[in-house]
């Protein structure tokens, strides 16, 4: 049983790490996980699902604004992008956030084509992230069902920020 | 009987004709004599000025009496009585008296009258003279008017040809000239070429040599000179049987250059280039050149010179301006190209920055993971090599990326308070293992007056010290290494172009790293700080490094307003690396600033702390709430500023407001909260959560009365530190 739990835990950890390395998540997600404890066991799941709901709503409204080429309400699109960027950076959805950055640029120059492309990409990214996180949560559930604890701490190398490194050449 | 009568018998001859004539003459004389005074009185009354009335009266009396005498004479022609004789006698006597009196008077009067005449003559002469002078002045004024008009005409245009043409035309008109011509010096300066004439439309372009005596004569003086009509410069008109060629005058026109004009002087006539203006009076007119006409010509020549030089200046300045515009355009293009290039490079760097680091970190991470598993010795060796190489590569990448940012000038120091003594010890701890392996003892000497807590860029300072000490270790095979740190006030060993001046709350830290290793050839010292240059003499290829370390260190040192240099006495005699940097002295005695991974466990309890979170974005609101709940706070959330104002109360200790959405409305709420809570201790602390942390955002927050600014997304540790600082100090502007 323990080996099963250990294996599951290892699987979970690797999967999570891979999500970081592939750029789906960043530090903020780690912070989010830190906030989850016995008092709020589903905090991350709640936040994340709220985020996805937000995403789909915003994407729908933005696609409606961008529908007709003659009168595109760029202000509305801009505010939508802003919201999306804020939400994604609060959650740690790195790829979504990056797409939002280029989306904002397209919006600033009022490039409808660019906006449509970015919108498509955002849609794709958030759905992809949703799938991935779904898998992660499934793994979590499996661990809990198997009686194990969800690994909370990670090896420090996953905090991917270039820090002081000794300039030793020898 | 003959009566004796008292009548007097005239002794007449018996000539009756003569008597008659006498009679008539006497009568007329009397009449005349009576009428003269009448006339005199009449005319004197008419005239306003006659000073001699008394004389007139006398004269009048004299004449009247004479007249009376003659009148009475009329009666004496016939037999007259004694009465008539008496009257006659009386009249004669009176006449005699008056005449004598008049004669005496006239002696006095006549000189006066004569002098009146003299004065009259004198005044007449004066009037004539004044008339003459008036004539002269008028002539001068005319001349002046002509000159002004001419000047105005000439100077109203800046085109060279127009100026010259106008000059000739106007001069010809004013002076009624027959012909007027301008000779300009040719490019070679050896000849004068006929450039402009008045009458002839297409002047025959012929030249005269410039060394003619007549030309020299004219060029030698600034006055107009009369020349012979037969001289080569004056032979312009077709000589068609005219008897008397009109007089010719020539004057020089200086051709001034820009360089002749000093700021406060008149242009010096040091130029040797003159043009020649020749003016010819009409033939057969017997007209002469008057002085005022010559003056006119001279003045005009001067004006023409000035006008021409102005035209030349204008031409030059137009040319310069065109040139400048061209250069401007070219520069603009170049600048835009440069900007594009920089942007492209920055984009590239930004992308590569992350793209290169990610795989790098993956390699390092996974290799270190691998290290912790079961490995055979060969595998372990391989893994270690992989680790070493990849960390080297990571260092190299960081160096290159740092350097390009440094060169760009876009690198800014991250200032913070840190413990200097601890820094040195940490560096030494990092180096010690290697030094021990190489059997190089390292000693650290910290000056007693070295401040403990300082303000500066800790990371970069550490990088510099590590680089220097690392080099010392790298390039020494034996000997010891000493690291000295002290405060420097006046400096006597720095390169001469660097002065150290300690200011108020700053000081200069000097670090000396001395080793007894390989040393450096003094000639190579300047090259050390240039990037990519390796001193060949001792480069052990295995030591690696790209030669960037010192270059980067130098740039960091420069950023810290300091200086770095190396002294060595030669190869094999060791070397000393010294650098000075400017650091601030910190007033705080406890550590704050860059939060290290939990170095100070916070014991502050936030349990039950009532806070309010305002954020329009649902997701980030939830995250912030989760953060604060995890820390133990009691969190209320609102999603709009109106709601916030409604809900906020004095029970809330802190209000977190999101100010990410563009616009100033978010900040207004801070002001309204200030208005709502007038007593300071009742007012909750206001913290802004924002996505960018530049100076303007900070300043804006401060100006709206916020107590702190936090960068989103906020990490748990950050929030913890921030809250505790905030509650302690009630103000927080460093947590960025």
């Amino acid at each position: 049983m323990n080996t099963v739990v250990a294996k599951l835990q290892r699987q979970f950890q690797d999967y999570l790490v891979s999500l970081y390395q592939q750029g789906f998540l960043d530090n903020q997600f780690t912070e989010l996980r830190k906030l989850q404890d016995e008092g709020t066991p589903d905090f991350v799941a709640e936040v994340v699902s709220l985020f996805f709901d937000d995403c789909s709503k915003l994407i729908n409204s933005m696609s409606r604004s961008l529908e007709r080429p003659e009168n595109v309400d760029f202000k509305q699109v801009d505010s939508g992008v802003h919201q999306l960027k804020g939400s994604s950076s609060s959650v740690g959805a790195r790829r979504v956030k990056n797409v939002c950055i280029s989306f904002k640029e397209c919006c600033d120059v009022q490039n409808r084509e660019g906006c449509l492309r970015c919108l498509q990409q955002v849609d794709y990214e958030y759905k992809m992230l949703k799938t991935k996180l779904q898998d992660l949560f499934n793994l979590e559930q499996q661990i809990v069902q198997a009686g194990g604890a969800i690994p909370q701490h990670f090896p420090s190398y996953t905090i991917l920020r270039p820090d002081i490194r000794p300039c030793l050449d020898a | 009987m003959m009566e004796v009568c008292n009548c007097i018998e005239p002794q007449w001859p018996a000539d009756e004709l003569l008597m008659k004539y006498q009679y008539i003459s006497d009568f007329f004389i009397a009449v005349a004599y009576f009428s003269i005074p009448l006339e005199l009185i009449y005319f004197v009354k008419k005239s306003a000025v006659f000073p001699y009335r008394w004389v007139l009266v006398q004269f009048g009396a004299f004449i009247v009496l004479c007249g009376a005498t003659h009148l009475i004479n009329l009666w004496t022609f016939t037999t007259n009585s004694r009465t008539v004789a008496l009257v006659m006698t009386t009249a004669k006597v009176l006449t005699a008296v008056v005449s004598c009196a008049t004669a005496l008077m006239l002696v006095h009067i006549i000189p006066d009258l004569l002098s009146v005449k003299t004065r009259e003559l004198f005044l007449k002469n004066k009037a004539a003279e004044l008339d003459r002078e008036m004539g002269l002045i008028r002539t001068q004024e005319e001349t002046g008017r002509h000159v002004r008009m001419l000047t105005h005409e000439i100077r109203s245009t800046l085109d060279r040809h127009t100026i010259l043409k106008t000059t000739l035309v106007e001069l010809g008109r004013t002076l009624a000239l027959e012909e007027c011509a301008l000779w300009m010096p040719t490019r070679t300066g050896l000849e004068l070429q006929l450039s402009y004439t008045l009458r002839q439309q297409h002047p025959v372009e012929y030249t005269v040599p410039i060394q003619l005596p007549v030309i020299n004569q004219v060029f030698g003086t600034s006055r107009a000179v009369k020349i012979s009509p037969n001289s080569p410069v004056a032979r312009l008109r077709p000589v068609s049987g005219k008897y008397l060629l009109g007089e010719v005058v020539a004057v020089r026109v200086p051709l001034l250059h820009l360089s002749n004009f000093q700021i406060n002087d008149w242009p010096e006539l040091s130029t040797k280039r003159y043009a020649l203006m020749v003016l010819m009076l009409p033939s057969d007119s017997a007209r002469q050149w008057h002085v005022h006409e010559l003056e006119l010509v001279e003045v005009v020549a001067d004006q023409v010179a000035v006008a021409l030089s102005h035209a030349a200046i204008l031409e030059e300045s137009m040319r310069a301006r065109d040139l400048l515009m061209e250069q401007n355009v070219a520069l603009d293009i170049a600048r835009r190209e440069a900007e594009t290039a920089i942007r492209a490079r920055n984009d590239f760097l930004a992308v590569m920055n992350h793209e290169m680091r990610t795989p790098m970190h993956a390699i390092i991470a996974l290799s270190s993971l691998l290290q912790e598993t079961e490995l055979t010795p060969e595998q372990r060796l391989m893994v270690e090599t992989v680790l070493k190489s990849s960390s080297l590569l990571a260092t190299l990448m960081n160096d290159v990326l740092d350097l390009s940012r440094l060169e760009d000038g876009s690198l800014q120091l991250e200032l913070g308070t840190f413990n200097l003594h601890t820094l040195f010890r940490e560096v030494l701890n990092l180096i010690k293992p290697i030094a021990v392996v190489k059997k190089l003892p390292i000693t650290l000497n910290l000056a007693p007056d070295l401040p403990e807590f300082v303000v500066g860029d800790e990371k970069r300072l550490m990088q510099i010290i590590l680089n220097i000490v690392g080099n010392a270790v790298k390039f020494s095979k034996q000997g010891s290494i000493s690291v000295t740190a002290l405060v420097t006030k006046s400096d006597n060993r720095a390169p001469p172009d660097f002065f150290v001046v300690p200011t108020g709350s700053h000081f200069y830290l000097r670090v000396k790293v001395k080793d007894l290793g390989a040393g450096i050839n003094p000639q190579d010292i300047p090259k050390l700080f240039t990037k990519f240059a390796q001193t060949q003499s001792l480069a052990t290829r295995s030591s690696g490094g790209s030669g960037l370390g010192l270059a980067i260190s130098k740039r960091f040192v420069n950023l810290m307003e300091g200086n770095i240099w190396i002294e060595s006495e030669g190869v094999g005699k060791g070397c000393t690396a010294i650098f000075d940097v400017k650091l601030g002295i910190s007033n705080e005695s406890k550590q704050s600033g860059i939060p290290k991974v939990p170095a100070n466990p916070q014991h502050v309890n936030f349990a039950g702390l009532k806070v309010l979170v305002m954020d329009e974005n649902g997701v980030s609101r939830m995250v912030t709430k989760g953060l604060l709940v995890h820390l133990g706070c009691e969190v209320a959330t609102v999603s709009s500023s109106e709601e916030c104002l409604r809900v906020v109360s004095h029970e809330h200790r802190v209000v977190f407001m999101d100010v990410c959405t563009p616009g100033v409305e978010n900040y207004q709420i801070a002001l309204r909260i200030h208005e709502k809570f007038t007593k300071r201790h009742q007012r909750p602390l206001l913290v802004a959560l924002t996505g960018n942390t530049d100076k303007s955002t900070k300043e804006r927050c401060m100006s709206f009365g916020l107590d702190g600014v936090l960068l989103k997304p906020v990490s748990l540790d950050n929030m913890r530190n921030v809250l505790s600082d905030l509650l302690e100090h009630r103000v927080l502007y460093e947590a960025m």
Side-chain angles (χ1 to χ4, degrees), chain B residues 619-632:
Chain B
V619 174
S620 87
R621 195 168 58 232
M622 195 173 182
V623 172
T624 315
K625 175 175 178 178
L627 198 59
L628 290 164
V629 161
H630 190 82
L631 287 173

Side-chain angles (χ1 to χ4, degrees), chain A residues 26 51 57 66 70 72-74 100 102 108 122 124 129 149 155 159:
Chain A
D26 63 23
F51 168 66
K57 260 188 283 186
L66 286 168
E70 316 86 58
V72 180
D73 186 357
F74 278 107
C100 285
S102 17
D108 287 339
V122 162
Y124 169 77
L129 183 65
I159 310 297

